[in-house]
Structures are given as C-alpha cells and as structure tokens.
Amino acid sequence: MTRSEVALSAPGKVLLAGGYLVLDRDHTGLVFGLDARIHVHVQKLPTSPGVDLSEIIVRSPQFKDAEWRYGYTESEEHGGIRVIQLKGHSTSTQSRNKFVETALAYALSYVSAMSDEKIGSSSITIVADTDYYSHPDETGSTNFARFINFHVPITEAHKTGLGSSAALVTAFTAAVLAHYLNKDQLDLDSDLGRRRLHNIAQAAHCAAQGKVGSGFDVAAAVYGSCIYRRFSPSILEGLGEIGSPQFSARIRAVVDDSEPSNKWDMQIDKSNARIPQGLRLLMCDVDCGSETVGLVKKVLGWRKEKPEEASLLWATLQKGNEDLARELKRLAQTDVQDYRNLKDIILTIRSLIREMSTKADVPIEPTVQTSLLDACSKVSGVVGGVVPGAGGFDAIALLVEDQALPALQDLLSTYSSTTSADGRPAIGKVRLLSVKQDFQGLKSEATDIYGDWIR
C-alpha cells in the first residue's frame, strides 16, 4: 500500500546538560526538543499512463541544485534494497547526500521485509525551518518566514547546531515508512510504532555517520524533550551492511526488537524534562563554528589517559546535571518564580565544564563564550546559560524570563568580542534564534502548509 501524500516533521534539539557524559551508559543527558523542525513530504511520482519507473526523486528546494535521483533494486540473498544515485539528469546534483541515501536504503529495506508489494516510485521533498541555518546577510531580526530560500548550495550552508542530521534522518525515515506501509504494518502514532521508528532511525543515522554515537539527538527527534540514557553500541554491531546476505532479516529484527539476546536498552524519561511556565529555552547562533568530532576525540583521549581524574569529574557533573533537571521540574510544579537556586546550579555546571576544558585541553566553554554567557547573564531576567552539547564556538543556550527578551536582543544586536586567549578570532555576529523549547517529537503535518515548495 502507498498513500497518495504524507508529511511528517521532527524537531531540533539542544543538549542542555550531559555533553560528553551522554556517551557513557553510566550517565544521562538532559535534552530538549526545539520548535525548529525538519519536514519531509512524500507523494507518488507522477508518470505518463503505462510508464512504470523504479525511481525516487529527493529535492531540498531551499538550496541551489539540491536534487538527488535514485534507482533501487532488491539485493541477492535477501540483502535489502540497494539505492543507486542516478547522475545523468540535468537537474540533479552530482554530489552524494549520505544521510538521505542511507535513510532511504534502510527505510526501503524495512518496507521490503514487511511487505510483498512492489515499491513504487515517489517524489520526496525536504524543507527546513529557517533557524536550522545561519543567514548572515540578514540583520539581527528574528522576523523570518517559516521556510526561506537560502540561495546557496547545501554544502555551503552554515548550520546553527540544532541537530539537523538527526531530525532529517528521523523525519525522512518516518515519511518513507508512512508512505509505503499501512497502519496495520506500522502505526507511528502508537508507542510500538514510535519505538520501531526510533530503532531504525538510530541504525540509519549511525550508518550514515560511520560510527555508533550516543543517539540522544535521534531520541529527541522521535520523542521530544527527555532525560536520555544511551543504548548499548553492541545492539548495532552485528547489523552489517546493506547488500550483505540476510540483511533484510537482520534490519527487521533490530527494528522490531525481536532478538532476546540483543534488546534495545536505552532509557527515555519524558516526565522529568520540564521547563517552568514563564521561562524560555533560547538559542543564540554564534558565527564562529567548531568541529565537534575533534572535540569529542580529545575529551575521550583525556578520559582514557586519566580515568580516575575523569571519572571523579564526570560523577560530579552528573550530580549537577541531575540537580538541574530536578530544580527545573520543581519550578514547573509551583507558582513560585524564585530562580536563585537554578542560577547557582547553572554556574556550578559551567565551572565544572571549564575544569574539564582545562584538563582535557579542549575549548568546551572557550573564553569568548564565557564572556558572552556572562554578559547575557547580567541582563535582568536571564537566569543563565551554557555552551550546549559538545561545546565549542558555534552556539549558546539561555534560560530566559519572557519579559527579558527585548533587553537581551538589545545586548546581542551590538555585542562584539576581542580575539580570545584560545587563539580563535573574535565572535562575529550573534543572532538570537526564534526557536524555543518544544516537548513534542515527531508529528504529522498538514500537506498544504508547504505551498510552492512542493512540486
């Protein structure tokens, strides 16, 4: 069965607490979904009467030359569905999109394992909410349309660190599955359907990245805001590659969680991830990015070299992160708006992060970001902020009372910094993104909201 038209979206994320710790199952991460979303629309590919194509066209029309055409075929020995990029068409890009290609292959392989029906051709459109990418030619205004043309190739777009690859893989996989499978086969509105989507999106995202990450970003894309404890990497280690014999059976077993000796063991706690009414979780795009992979490698190298020192610091950080989640929940359950304890907890976490920065010789909270966070925290109504996730130079997250927004925007519109002691250039433009916390994960969208973005 194929539906005529489906559209789903997945949220971005911010790892407010638990950067690096979330890589280890002994620790957790406090991750919040954001209301900037990646949208994926799937419809049947229009063809002339009597013409039967085995082609899937994927477009990302907000970027220049962002079209990928794929053929697909069943591999021998039940090896799943191989997708092959078709590069001869005049409108198609010649470069690969590994996240799209991998998500498509994994989704179609699962479809083929679930259904004997022929997989028909389809047209897939990807649209991103504006705040997923910087648009430096604009002023500090946050008054943008929901979807805009970025006027650059996708390889030249500057991400704002909201987790676009995880949201893309999740929304893309969900939309393809919803298009090709009926609700009796996979109901994405059910708990079981969401869990299976989580499992296949984690597998596809890890395959596209070439490594088994913690998965907190995919979990947030599926479930929304949560306290997350990672899955055991061994769950995906025996999956193998598409095209290898019996891949279809293995991907179905992984997605359906049907292997007793290899059960998914991640923990997703939505009830304790809260933001009090009257507070907003906001993101600032700092035009001075960093390479997350390099930071992680150095931190893990320090932890391996000095395990006792690292374990003690990580245990202290874990307690601070748990205190943060507990205080946010307490404030969410009361009408009292006394944020003094919350401020102290945030400052303690930042101090521990800077200690880890020093010991691992990694700029998790660089001095230019320290200055920016300190300046923002002096604005009345700004409770505090952190450099989220793996840290670095590209973003900060702030907890802000509603009435503080005008003063915060005034500060950021003229903010500048000098060259840092880290040897990095001064911070360029700082833009307050229009995103805020969003507790919902994957959701269906009305297909008419995309207008002319859909062909």
Side-chain angles (χ1 to χ4, degrees):
M1 172 188 174
T2 59
R3 302 183 199 176
S4 58
E5 195 176 13
V6 298
L8 291 106
S9 70
K13 55 71 189 169
V14 54
L15 184 60
L16 188 66
Y20 299 100
L21 278 68
V22 77
L23 294 166
D24 189 322
R25 273 188 53 79
D26 289 338
H27 303 287
T28 58
L30 176 60
V31 54
F32 287 98
L34 299 170
D35 60 1
R37 290 178 165 265
I38 298 286
H39 302 249
V40 179
H41 175 279
V42 186
Q43 62 185 352
K44 293 179 181 178
L45 184 65
T47 58
S48 301
V51 175
D52 185 19
L53 297 178
S54 292
E55 183 177 17
I56 292 175
I57 301 176
V58 181
R59 299 183 182 92
S60 188
Q62 294 166 290
F63 301 97
K64 291 181 178 179
D65 305 320
E67 178 183 282
W68 301 267
R69 290 175 177 251
Y70 299 100
Y72 52 94
T73 183
E74 180 86 40
S75 298
E76 296 180 355
E77 298 183 69
H78 306 288
I81 300 293
R82 284 188 179 275
V83 298
I84 302 98
Q85 186 173 351
L86 309 174
K87 297 186 177 183
H89 200 278
S90 60
T91 63
S92 298
T93 181
Q94 302 304 300
S95 61
R96 287 184 65 193
N97 186 321
K98 60 183 178 180
F99 289 101
V100 164
E101 187 175 314
T102 305
L104 180 61
Y106 272 62
L108 293 182
S109 293
Y110 185 69
V111 168
S112 72
M114 291 288 290
S115 173
D116 293 329
E117 290 188 28
K118 184 179 185 300
I119 296 175
S121 298
S122 59
S123 174
I124 304 176
T125 303
I126 302 165
V127 187
D129 282 344
T130 297
D131 278 325
Y132 265 100
Y133 297 90
S134 297
H135 16 96
D137 293 337
E138 304 289 351
T139 66
S141 170
T142 57
N143 297 319
F144 298 107
R146 182 169 189 178
F147 311 118
I148 66 170
N149 192 323
F150 294 104
H151 300 290
V152 295
I154 196 167
T155 53
E156 296 178 14
H158 175 73
K159 297 178 182 179
T160 54
L162 303 186
S164 58
S165 66
L168 168 62
V169 167
T170 300
F172 190 97
T173 303
V176 171
L177 295 177
H179 180 69
Y180 287 109
L181 296 175
N182 61 45
K183 283 209 165 192
D184 290 338
Q185 295 168 311
L186 183 70
D187 182 2
L188 292 176
D189 293 324
S190 70
D191 290 343
L192 179 59
R194 288 294 170 103
R195 189 175 180 91
R196 288 179 174 175
L197 172 64
H198 167 273
N199 298 348
I200 191 172
Q202 292 282 19
H205 193 242
C206 290
Q209 288 185 314
K211 64 183 180 69
V212 179
S214 71
F216 80 87
D217 43 5
V218 170
V222 175
Y223 291 103
S225 302
C226 61
I227 296 176
Y228 175 78
R229 189 183 303 275
R230 70 158 304 152
F231 59 90
S232 298
S234 59
I235 292 168
L236 297 177
E237 287 175 355
L239 184 57
E241 296 184 359
I242 290 178
S244 59
Q246 304 304 315
F247 178 83
S248 287
R250 291 196 302 276
I251 189 63
R252 182 168 181 179
V254 164
V255 174
D256 293 353
D257 201 19
S258 60
E259 179 57 56
S261 62
N262 199 37
K263 303 291 285 186
W264 285 88
D265 53 1
M266 73 285 177
Q267 296 174 12
I268 295 168
D269 176 7
K270 287 187 62 63
S271 64
N272 289 308
R274 305 281 296 277
I275 297 286
Q277 189 171 359
L279 277 189
R280 296 190 190 189
L281 176 58
L282 301 179
M283 297 291 292
C284 292
D285 175 34
V286 181
D287 197 12
C288 187
S290 54
E291 180 59 50
T292 300
V293 175
L295 298 181
V296 172
K297 186 176 181 180
K298 289 191 71 174
V299 169
L300 294 182
W302 158 72
R303 190 182 182 215
K304 183 177 181 179
E305 183 180 335
K306 298 184 177 179
E308 292 184 4
E309 177 182 86
S311 294
L312 180 61
L313 180 53
W314 278 28
T316 309
L317 255 174
Q318 175 68 24
K319 181 183 181 303
N321 297 340
E322 291 172 356
D323 289 344
L324 176 62
R326 191 178 301 113
E327 180 66 7
L328 285 169
K329 183 179 180 181
R330 186 189 72 80
L331 289 167
Q333 294 173 328
T334 180
D335 294 330
V336 178
Q337 295 183 331
D338 182 351
Y339 301 123
R340 286 175 295 181
N341 192 38
L342 183 59
K343 284 175 177 280
D344 290 342
I345 292 170
I346 292 171
L347 289 173
T348 298
I349 290 172
R350 284 184 56 199
S351 175
L352 292 167
I353 290 293
R354 289 195 298 273
E355 183 180 346
M356 182 161 63
S357 291
T358 300
K359 289 181 174 179
D361 191 25
V362 174
I364 304 171
E365 187 188 295
T367 55
V368 289
Q369 296 286 55
T370 297
S371 298
L372 175 58
L373 285 168
D374 290 346
C376 291
S377 298
K378 290 176 183 177
V379 175
S380 178
V382 175
V383 178
V386 298
V387 184
F393 295 85
D394 57 355
I396 62 170
L398 300 169
L399 285 167
V400 180
E401 295 182 64
D402 291 340
Q403 71 270 18
L405 281 174
L408 180 61
Q409 287 173 326
D410 287 345
L411 168 72
L412 296 177
S413 66
T414 58
Y415 186 84
S416 62
S417 70
T418 58
T419 302
S420 75
D422 309 86
R424 297 287 300 217
I427 286 177
K429 189 177 295 183
V430 180
R431 186 167 68 89
L432 182 64
L433 304 181
S434 60
V435 299
K436 63 181 184 302
Q437 69 270 16
D438 184 356
F439 294 95
Q440 187 173 5
L442 181 86
K443 70 176 182 179
S444 296
E445 299 283 359
T447 56
D448 60 0
I449 68 172
Y450 306 110
D452 293 340
W453 295 108
I454 306 296
R455 292 191 203 173

